[in-house]
Amino acid sequence: MLGIPSLGRSEDELFAELDEIRSNDLDTKGGRTWAYVYDAGRGAELFRLAERAYLSFLHENALDPTVFPSLLKLENDVVAMAASHLRAGDGVVGNFTTGGTESIMMALKAGRDFAAETRGITSPQIVLPVTAHAAFHKAAHYFGIDVVTTPVDTMTWKADVDAMARAITPDTIMLVGSAVSYAHGVVDPIPEIAALAHDNNLLCHVDGCIGGFILPYFRQLGAPVTDFDFAVPGVTSMSMDLHKYAYTPKGASVVLYRDAAVRRHQLFACAGWTGYTVINTTFQSTKSGGALAAAWTVMNHLGQDGYTDIAERTLAATRAIISGIDDIDDLTVMGTPEANLIALSSDTVNVFEVVDEMRDLQWYVQPQLGFKGSRENIHLSVSGASLPLVPHLLEDFRSAIAIAKPKGPSVADPALVELLESIDPATLDDDSFAQLLAAGGLGGDDGEIEVPDKTSGISAILNSCPAPLAERLLVEFFNRLYVPTD
Ligand SMILES: *Cc1c(COP(=O)(O)O)cnc(C)c1O
């Protein structure tokens, strides 16, 4: 197993090696990567500004705002800017977190403990449309909360509020809506969900992780946007990422509460040990001030004028893609995107093959699996850098389809489906796992695991599996992937 080198190595040599290690990564800048990374389209200048701010606070420790008061000031500033953006009135409070997942986890933790205190609930449940982000399932899993999922309308992909009403039980603590949902980019009927929550004395969380920042600009630019923020009565908490469409470096999100009496349950203090007194707002204790300082700096630098300009180009790019896809017979936009996220499905071509062909043409577009009536599709997160690329993207979609189409429309191989149906996730053994990996092009006969260049094989397998089996396979895969270097 690799050890710490006996003699320290030089800076030049190490940075050369880091570049080499990174050579197969996706591009993070320039707009050819349509998920995971977000480029404002401001060129090197904005990246440099963010990096300067990040580095200047890299070594501060947000563990204790009494010794680093700068971080308290920056956090309260960023939370205020985020809350105003979401039309929050007086009394709204919140915290800076490392990402959407942490914001959502904090909201569920606070909601759980608030419901325990105020209503005596010991077996909490949340009602979650199937389009809500996986982070809610993760939070529920970590915090012992039961998830009750509800269907969505399969034309609009929006939450079915009647189904949510029927799912409420005496143990329900919270209803959830998305603004927008990641998969289809639509805003759930938030006013109706929030009213339902209010009438039943429940909390209502709106997940604005990806849509919350850009939607107010789209509204201002005249696009139709369903109301989703603190202006809606009954919304009790919100999550909004800054490291997506506020274009701040990764590790930046906010969680906001209408009422500090709920947020109080997010905080954790411990005086019952022999060391320093611990009082934490979020999961982490020791954490760098870099991401917070960078968020503060980027938000203040871009300002409403900068963000409006970026949103204008993003909206134009989104509309150009939607109308361009209209002319491509083999792809269909799912629902009516309200922000800048687009899902493309097909009856005539295997979308996972299209993803692979696009990769060969130097684009990353993201495969999404079929689930509960939402068939497998291709996801695009449009950014401020997208607009000039749209004609090329559309042209290359046509080329990719021309290559993928002869392989047929189906993603499922009948023999594979039969194999999958014979597997019980609870008793999956090494042999059947190895067989599946080979079928998905993920491993050699020697049991070595590799991340493949082409993902259509593995996507097809996961797409044909019931969710529990897919989850088991993914865990087994990662449990073999993360092993110490030889
Ligand atoms: C990205 C996203 C999240 C999770 O955020 P991370 O920053 O990746 O942890 C949650 N909800 C929605 C709608 C998202 O798009």
Side-chain angles (χ1 to χ4, degrees):
M1 195 185 296
L2 183 71
I4 297 169
S6 49
L7 292 177
R9 300 168 57 192
S10 76
E11 179 171 343
D12 285 351
E13 187 188 324
L14 289 169
F15 278 84
E17 187 169 337
L18 285 173
D19 282 342
E20 163 68 25
I21 290 169
R22 182 153 59 188
S23 60
N24 288 327
D25 285 4
L26 290 173
D27 288 336
T28 56
K29 296 170 186 165
R32 296 187 75 92
T33 303
W34 296 76
Y36 302 115
V37 296
Y38 307 89
D39 184 337
R42 290 279 174 137
E45 186 255 354
L46 188 66
F47 288 112
R48 188 198 49 76
L49 176 93
E51 286 155 17
R52 185 174 169 204
Y54 198 106
L55 287 178
S56 75
F57 275 78
L58 177 63
H59 302 295
E60 312 270 319
N61 190 345
L63 166 69
D64 188 343
T66 64
V67 288
F68 297 105
S70 61
L71 297 175
L72 176 64
K73 150 86 179 149
L74 293 178
E75 178 160 344
N76 283 339
D77 280 6
V78 165
V79 167
M81 287 190 276
S84 316
H85 194 51
L86 296 172
R87 300 190 288 189
D90 286 348
V92 169
V93 294
N95 288 97
F96 183 80
T97 72
T98 55
T101 300
E102 190 179 13
S103 290
I104 289 167
M105 293 182 94
M106 291 297 99
L108 263 62
K109 192 269 179 205
R112 181 194 68 173
D113 294 353
F114 176 77
E117 184 190 72
T118 58
R119 296 172 53 208
I121 290 182
T122 52
S123 312
Q125 297 178 343
I126 56 169
V127 176
L128 205 61
V130 293
T131 46
H133 195 275
F136 290 95
H137 295 270
K138 179 174 177 177
H141 177 72
Y142 276 39
F143 297 137
I145 297 169
D146 277 337
V147 172
V148 180
T149 54
T150 54
V152 297
D153 183 292
T154 53
M155 291 297 291
T156 62
W157 305 109
K158 293 184 180 220
D160 174 343
V161 184
D162 291 334
M164 293 181 80
R166 288 193 297 273
I168 294 171
T169 74
D171 284 328
T172 306
I173 60 168
M174 181 188 281
L175 308 183
V176 172
S178 303
V180 293
S181 60
Y182 186 88
H184 307 98
V186 297
V187 182
D188 283 327
I190 302 299
E192 289 78 9
I193 295 172
L196 179 66
H198 181 264
D199 292 347
N200 287 277
N201 189 27
L202 302 173
L203 299 167
C204 174
H205 184 85
V206 174
D207 182 14
C209 277
I210 200 153
F213 198 83
I214 202 162
L215 283 171
Y217 295 111
F218 275 24
R219 185 198 292 129
Q220 184 192 311
L221 292 165
V225 172
T226 308
D227 270 345
F228 69 96
D229 58 18
F230 282 108
V232 179
V235 171
T236 56
S237 58
M238 293 192 70
S239 41
M240 180 169 76
D241 290 349
L242 305 174
H243 61 199
K244 288 173 179 160
Y245 291 109
Y247 297 105
T248 84
K250 298 219 183 305
S253 175
V254 290
V255 58
L256 302 168
Y257 299 84
R258 194 184 287 277
D259 188 345
V262 182
R263 194 273 297 270
R264 182 166 62 76
H265 294 277
Q266 177 191 301
L267 311 181
F268 176 79
C270 180
W273 71 307
T274 51
Y276 57 89
T277 305
V278 167
I279 163 72
N280 292 150
T281 52
T282 58
F283 261 130
Q284 292 182 310
S285 203
T286 288
K287 61 178 174 187
S288 167
L292 172 60
W296 185 93
T297 308
V298 168
M299 290 170 86
N300 278 301
H301 181 71
L302 286 175
Q304 298 286 21
D305 58 333
Y307 282 123
T308 303
D309 176 63
I310 293 166
E312 211 170 341
R313 282 183 289 116
T314 307
L315 183 58
T318 307
R319 287 176 170 163
I321 292 169
I322 291 171
S323 77
I325 293 295
D326 225 30
D327 296 333
I328 298 179
D329 292 340
D330 293 296
L331 294 177
T332 310
V333 175
M334 300 175 83
T336 306
E338 279 168 89
N340 52 331
L341 311 189
I342 303 171
L344 305 172
S345 66
S346 180
D347 289 329
T348 49
V349 64
N350 176 341
V351 289
F352 299 143
E353 294 284 353
V354 174
V355 168
D356 277 350
E357 296 306 330
M358 289 297 277
R359 190 74 185 263
D360 279 351
L361 296 167
Q362 313 300 318
W363 301 97
Y364 180 80
V365 296
Q366 190 178 43
Q368 295 193 124
L369 304 181
F371 186 67
K372 304 269 185 195
S374 173
R375 63 183 307 177
E376 65 279 355
N377 62 80
I378 299 171
H379 169 97
L380 301 174
S381 284
V382 181
S383 76
S386 300
L387 189 56
L389 301 176
V390 171
H392 312 295
L393 177 84
L394 293 168
E395 192 183 312
D396 283 353
F397 262 131
R398 289 178 191 276
S399 313
I401 290 166
I403 300 171
K405 203 168 172 180
K407 299 180 188 174
S410 174
V411 300
D413 162 3
L416 179 63
V417 173
E418 197 180 321
L419 172 66
L420 293 171
E421 279 168 0
S422 70
I423 298 173
D424 174 359
T427 58
L428 182 74
D429 59 22
D430 274 353
D431 278 352
S432 36
F433 184 69
Q435 227 181 323
L436 280 171
L437 285 184
L442 278 179
D445 300 333
D446 54 0
E448 278 280 304
I449 303 275
E450 306 174 351
V451 180
D453 293 339
K454 305 261 175 185
T455 58
S456 53
I458 186 68
S459 294
I461 291 183
L462 295 173
N463 199 59
S464 305
C465 288
L469 179 57
E471 287 160 2
R472 179 72 200 271
L473 291 176
L474 291 165
V475 168
E476 292 298 329
F477 177 50
F478 267 44
N479 208 21
R480 288 163 172 78
L481 194 60
Y482 282 86
V483 290
T485 306
D486 268 345

